[in-house]
């Protein structure tokens, strides 16, 4: 363990000494810098310095570098496409943490829920999908020391209650439902973005049938994105609502699944917090990888403005 590495359980138990936390993480997790000199992160950090904190990520000691996590993802995705196996890959960050804390702070760039009651009504479905992803795919939450927070109140002193919408609240949610982060089914949040924007992913898509589910897709730009160098990727799209998928997926599910071509090899999904259920159901129905791509679909569309600007781990230096 390097001097930059911090044992995750030690840090977490420093915030809240609880067996629940140890039930949520298997042994061997730590915090480590996953920044990579091949990425243009410093350009983004120079504009928003606080983002530098997010390059320190929860990792497992078996794969501490970004490159190792990206390669592991790549191998699992290639195998799932070849064997026609389900592989849902889902990211979780502030919006999801707020949603699962029953907070309407989940309505950030996109509307996710009209009321706390709506969130409560679908929570069991989301937990069921989480349990499925834990066993079949990857849970990729954004966890770094800076988003393990508490309420600045008397409750903190007396009861050590974590702030709703923090990474710690999400870890406790997982623990309360017996869902555990393990090296086989966990990668850091930013490993997904780095992989989806890499030449490694483009090579994996060569000759494949790719279906993109989003509220809008510029097919010309999508074909240009995936067919750099003439890879022969075949792109299809399915339109999904731009809002409230997180609380209304069951109303759209059957119709949308019917629109996905049966020959699809891999799906990319942009559905906000609703991507959990969407990806889980696609993977289960088609036995293929389904990836919560989020901001990367905005990049494909040349609409990074819809993500309020560039994100870390998405822009590679030339010839990287």
């Amino acid at each position: 363990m390097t001097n930059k590495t911090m044992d995750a359980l030690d840090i977490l138990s420093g915030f809240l000494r609880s067996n629940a936390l140890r039930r949520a993480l298997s042994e061997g997790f730590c915090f480590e810098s996953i920044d990579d000199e091949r990425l243009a992160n410093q350009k983004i950090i120079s504009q928003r310095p606080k983002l530098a904190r997010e390059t320190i990520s929860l990792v497992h000691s078996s794969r501490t570098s970004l490159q190792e996590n990206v390669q592991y993802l790549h191998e699992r995705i290639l195998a799932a496409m070849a064997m026609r196996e389900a592989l849902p890959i889902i990211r979780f960050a502030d919006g999801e943490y707020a949603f699962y804390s029953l907070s309407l702070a989940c309505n950030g760039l996109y509307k996710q829920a009209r009321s706390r009651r709506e969130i409560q009504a679908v929570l069991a479905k989301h937990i069921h999908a989480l349990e499925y992803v834990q066993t079949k795919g990857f849970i990729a939450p954004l966890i770094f020391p800076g988003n393990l927070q508490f309420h600045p109140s008397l409750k903190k002193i007396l009861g050590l209650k974590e702030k709703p919408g923090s990474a710690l609240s999400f870890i406790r949610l997982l623990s309360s439902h017996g869902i555990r982060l393990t090296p086989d089914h966990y990668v850091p949040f930013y490993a997904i973005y780095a992989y989806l924007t890499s030449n490694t992913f483009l090579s994996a898509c060569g000759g494949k049938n790719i279906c993109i589910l989003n509220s809008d897709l510029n097919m010309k730009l999508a074909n240009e994105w995936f067919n750099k160098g003439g890879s022969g990727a075949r792109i299809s799209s399915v339109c999904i609502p731009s809002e409230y998928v997180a609380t209304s997926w069951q109303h759209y599910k059957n119709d949308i699944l019917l629109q996905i071509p049966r020959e699809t090899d891999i799906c990319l999904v942009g559905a906000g917090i609703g991507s959990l259920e969407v990806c889980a159901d696609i993977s289960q129905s088609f036995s293929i990888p389904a990836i919560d791509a989020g901001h990367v679909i905005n990049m494909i569309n040349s609409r990074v403005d819809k993500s309020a600007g560039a994100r870390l781990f998405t822009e590679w230096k030339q010839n990287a």
Side-chain angles (χ1 to χ4, degrees):
M1 211 176 276
T2 70
N3 58 8
K4 290 190 298 182
T5 303
M6 298 165 280
D7 181 80
L9 287 175
D10 286 348
I11 286 180
L12 292 172
S13 63
F15 283 116
L16 181 62
R17 297 189 180 281
S18 167
N19 288 331
L21 293 175
R22 294 189 176 274
R23 288 197 298 270
L25 275 75
S26 66
E27 295 292 334
F29 277 96
C30 56
F31 287 99
E32 179 75 81
S33 171
I34 59 166
D35 206 357
D36 191 309
E37 61 182 13
R38 297 170 300 166
L39 285 149
N41 284 334
Q42 291 310 309
K43 180 183 73 172
I44 299 169
I45 290 170
S46 69
Q47 299 165 355
R48 298 170 62 193
K50 286 187 177 180
L51 290 179
R53 304 179 307 161
E54 298 184 16
T55 63
I56 304 292
S57 179
L58 182 72
V59 295
H60 193 265
S61 57
S62 61
R63 294 189 308 274
T64 58
S65 72
L66 179 71
Q67 185 175 355
E68 288 171 317
N69 281 283
V70 165
Q71 184 61 30
Y72 184 59
L73 265 176
H74 180 60
E75 291 169 1
R76 290 283 301 273
I77 288 169
L78 286 180
M81 285 195 291
M83 302 298 292
R84 298 295 294 190
E85 293 177 346
L87 189 71
I89 302 172
I90 320 295
R91 296 171 300 104
F92 300 87
D94 293 352
E96 287 78 11
Y97 301 160
F99 186 87
Y100 297 124
S101 295
L102 306 181
S103 168
L104 293 183
C106 64
N107 294 318
L109 292 172
Y110 303 96
K111 294 177 181 178
Q112 310 285 351
R114 296 175 183 85
S115 67
R116 293 182 62 188
R117 182 174 295 179
E118 269 197 343
I119 299 174
Q120 287 174 315
V122 299
L123 196 57
K125 292 282 188 183
H126 279 248
I127 296 302
H128 180 71
L130 263 169
E131 291 170 339
Y132 180 75
V133 174
Q134 179 208 21
T135 60
K136 296 292 185 179
F138 287 100
I139 294 176
L142 179 61
I143 301 177
F144 61 98
N147 68 355
L148 299 168
Q149 304 168 7
F150 291 95
H151 271 308
S153 65
L154 185 61
K155 286 184 179 179
K156 173 184 173 182
I157 299 170
L158 298 179
L160 293 175
K161 299 291 185 181
E162 69 272 12
K163 179 181 177 182
S166 71
L168 188 56
S169 70
F170 183 68
I171 291 171
R172 287 187 61 79
L173 173 80
L174 298 181
S175 175
S176 67
H177 291 281
I179 299 169
R180 203 169 196 222
L181 299 181
T182 68
D184 288 342
H185 299 283
Y186 168 86
V187 291
F189 177 96
Y190 283 122
I192 308 298
Y193 278 169
Y195 178 62
L196 291 179
T197 55
S198 70
N199 289 328
T200 302
F201 178 62
L202 289 179
S203 71
C205 293
K208 301 299 184 183
N209 298 299
I210 303 162
C211 185
I212 301 176
L213 289 86
N214 197 43
S215 59
D216 63 272
L217 183 69
N218 184 317
M219 287 296 291
K220 178 178 181 294
L221 293 178
N223 276 290
E224 289 175 359
W225 178 282
F226 284 99
N227 284 292
K228 299 166 188 173
S231 75
R234 296 171 290 276
I235 314 301
S236 62
S237 69
V238 174
C239 184
I240 58 177
S242 61
E243 300 174 343
Y244 302 120
V245 177
T247 48
S248 305
W249 168 241
Q250 297 305 317
H251 299 296
Y252 312 124
K253 172 182 171 179
N254 291 336
D255 179 57
I256 288 175
L257 292 181
L258 284 172
Q259 296 178 57
I260 299 172
R262 297 306 302 181
E263 66 272 15
T264 297
D265 295 301
I266 186 169
C267 279
L268 301 184
V269 175
I273 296 167
S275 294
L276 168 63
E277 284 192 286
V278 178
C279 289
D281 284 333
I282 290 172
S283 275
Q284 189 168 33
S285 298
F286 291 83
S287 297
I288 58 173
I291 308 175
D292 170 19
H295 171 74
V296 175
I297 296 179
N298 289 338
M299 292 176 69
I300 292 169
N301 277 332
S302 290
R303 290 297 310 274
V304 295
D305 57 293
K306 293 180 70 174
S307 300
R311 299 290 176 87
L312 292 175
F313 295 89
T314 61
E315 296 186 7
W316 293 81
K317 294 176 183 175
Q318 207 166 22
N319 302 320

